[in-house]
Amino acid sequence: MAAASRRLLVDVHTHVYLPRYVSFLRSRTSVPRVFSRTTPEGKTEERLLILDAEPSGGRPMGSQQFWDRAEKLRFMDKHGIDISIVSTANPWLDFLPAATAQVLASELNSDLEEYCSTSPNLADGTLKQLYGFGLLPLVPEASSASLLEIIQQISNLPHLKGVIIGSRGLGKGLDDDALEPVWAAIEKAALVVFLHPHYGVDQKEWGEKDNGHVLPLALGFPFETTIAITRLILSGVLDRHPDLRILLAHSGGALPQLSSRLASCIDHDPVVASRLQHDARYYLGKLYFDAVAYGSEELGFVSDTVGRAEKYVKSGASAAASAGAGGVQRKLGSRRMLFGTDHPFFPPLGEAEKWKSVVENLEAIDGVFGWDEAEQNAVRGGNAIELFGLGKIP
Ligand code: URA
Ligand code: ZN
């Protein structure tokens, strides 16, 4: 893997609300929306309200980090990021009627292609490249034909390398049989699916104390991803579409931690025991995990569970032998993990040169026990070059 040895930094988890999307949110009076209010100091500020019953009147739109490409490039420059694979942030088109979602998906995909393809090089001579994940009109009532048309559009746009999706699918989750043609088309087009949360879990779980956004973001988001990908695995999508490439936000949430428990529950359940072609742990080795976990130990653990996956191929003695033990597993797992920042979310609260959230994720990669420079470089950028086929782009 030649690409893995290059010391490149590629950010696979970085968002934008494109200007057309922000205008659309400004025109709305219900969530999700962007609204203006006057601060106690008499200033006008814009707030982003995207989650139902969001605390503290949403989040400040603050600077132009949310939509301005120049800000994205400055952020990349500040943190030494060479390439960003930019995705629209949640809640995408989930809340729209099918016809509106279809038109907006098409327009926003063209906007994102332009955002990426017309990106200027920075003055210091470093080549900052932008690529993107497109949007699908994944809403209830969307027809297969409309979804396939947008998949075709995305695969014709040279800078769009995948699609970002939430957990709801067509309203019934990602194990919905109606999504079968969508998985088949995405697999055939070799697009990467970035699975990202938005809804969290039932807010009643968060109690009555004001904990700001901490519980929904730290726990709700990753639990939502865990449930969504587990349902997809249980429905056999990864058996039917072995070449489908799915990147999980926030290092796959709790899936790595719960994967042996999941396997055991499957084994003991007559409804699903014989449904899957492999032990549940095998499927972790078919997935990709961003490295947005903020800690070396967590990254090491994800790497271990991903790297052992081949042991769990059913009736696959030779594969089991190749998985190896301990340190080898951890190295193997690193090949499916990719650096990300979650920009423009989690900005520093005070004045700071670099964003703590980014520095922590970079230091986490440096500190994983058993990862040598080859693994670190792969996670920083080499894996992304390979996954998104970026070596082939001039
Ligand atoms: N908050 C969000 O709403 N989305 C993200 O991606 C990160 C934080
Ligand atoms: Zn994100």
Side-chain angles (χ1 to χ4, degrees):
M1 167 185 308
S5 61
R6 291 168 59 196
R7 205 187 155 83
L8 263 182
L9 193 57
V10 183
D11 184 357
V12 304
H13 188 155
T14 179
H15 302 295
V16 67
Y17 290 113
L18 289 164
R20 185 190 301 273
Y21 190 84
V22 176
S23 303
F24 189 74
L25 291 188
R26 281 197 187 109
S27 74
R28 287 175 53 83
T29 52
S30 57
V31 176
R33 70 188 186 109
V34 170
F35 67 98
S36 295
R37 74 177 187 190
T38 308
T39 64
E41 297 79 39
K43 291 193 179 140
T44 305
E45 66 161 6
E46 281 204 309
R47 310 276 304 178
L48 173 70
L49 197 53
I50 52 173
L51 307 175
D52 282 329
E54 189 155 2
S56 332
R59 285 169 268 189
M61 285 291 263
S63 66
Q64 287 140 18
Q65 296 279 352
F66 279 94
W67 66 85
D68 187 350
R69 187 181 62 189
E71 289 288 343
K72 179 75 77 191
L73 293 171
R74 262 192 288 279
F75 169 83
M76 290 171 65
D77 197 33
K78 184 180 277 192
H79 298 96
I81 297 166
D82 299 290
I83 301 176
S84 289
I85 323 277
V86 181
S87 48
T88 292
N90 48 300
W92 316 287
L93 306 169
D94 284 24
F95 54 96
L96 294 171
T100 317
Q102 167 89 5
V103 173
L104 211 48
S106 169
E107 291 174 345
L108 288 167
N109 289 335
S110 299
D111 290 353
L112 187 57
E113 174 63 27
E114 195 187 334
Y115 173 104
C116 298
S117 62
T118 61
S119 168
N121 295 355
L122 286 194
D124 66 5
T126 50
L127 182 72
K128 301 286 170 200
Q129 291 183 19
L130 300 176
Y131 297 94
F133 290 100
L135 284 173
L136 297 180
L138 272 173
V139 296
E141 312 294 331
S143 66
S144 280
S146 69
L147 289 159
L148 299 187
E149 195 182 301
I150 297 290
I151 292 169
Q152 187 62 50
Q153 179 209 15
I154 292 170
S155 51
N156 288 339
L157 293 173
H159 289 77
L160 299 199
K161 300 291 169 194
V163 293
I164 182 163
I165 67 166
S167 60
R168 295 258 163 115
L170 299 168
K172 295 183 184 166
L174 301 185
D175 51 5
D176 186 352
D177 293 340
L179 287 172
E180 214 37 39
V182 174
W183 302 131
I186 292 174
E187 183 184 35
K188 187 156 175 237
L191 294 170
V192 176
V193 177
F194 183 19
L195 174 55
H196 190 288
H198 170 68
Y199 301 95
V201 301
D202 191 333
Q203 60 168 30
K204 288 204 288 295
E205 301 300 333
W206 306 138
E208 292 177 358
K209 292 260 188 300
D210 181 5
N211 290 309
H213 287 83
V214 168
L215 291 170
L217 292 183
L219 306 184
F221 263 32
F223 289 172
E224 178 190 353
T225 306
T226 308
I227 295 168
I229 189 63
T230 302
R231 283 175 55 182
L232 182 138
I233 291 170
L234 287 177
S235 72
V237 168
L238 297 181
D239 285 330
R240 290 190 294 283
H241 304 286
D243 294 329
L244 191 58
R245 298 174 305 161
I246 301 180
L247 169 66
L248 299 178
H250 313 121
S251 298
L255 181 68
Q257 173 64 41
L258 297 176
S259 55
S260 289
R261 180 171 174 82
L262 174 64
S264 174
C265 290
I266 293 171
D267 282 347
H268 292 88
D269 195 312
V271 177
V272 281
S274 59
R275 193 194 293 164
L276 296 180
Q277 282 176 17
H278 303 286
D279 181 287
R281 287 165 281 199
Y282 166 81
Y283 299 101
L284 271 71
K286 303 295 290 177
L287 299 166
Y288 295 85
F289 299 75
D290 76 20
V292 184
Y294 308 95
S296 300
E297 291 77 8
E298 287 83 354
L299 293 185
F301 180 78
V302 174
S303 191
D304 288 345
T305 57
V306 174
R308 73 179 176 182
E310 282 294 318
K311 282 186 182 175
Y312 294 100
V313 64
K314 267 192 192 155
S315 66
S318 56
S322 76
V328 179
Q329 278 178 207
R330 179 162 288 199
K331 286 180 189 293
L332 267 179
S334 71
R335 297 305 152 130
R336 288 184 168 263
M337 299 175 67
L338 304 94
F339 169 73
T341 62
D342 227 339
H343 179 257
F345 297 103
F346 309 109
L349 292 184
E351 286 300 309
E353 171 56 12
K354 293 193 177 179
W355 290 33
K356 187 170 187 233
S357 51
V358 180
V359 172
E360 278 180 346
N361 277 320
L362 283 170
E363 287 176 353
I365 294 170
D366 285 344
V368 176
F369 183 77
W371 280 4
D372 297 330
E373 216 180 328
E375 287 77 38
Q376 292 168 358
N377 284 341
V379 177
R380 285 190 199 112
N383 294 340
I385 298 290
E386 225 163 82
L387 178 63
F388 297 98
L390 301 185
K392 294 176 214 134
I393 294 274

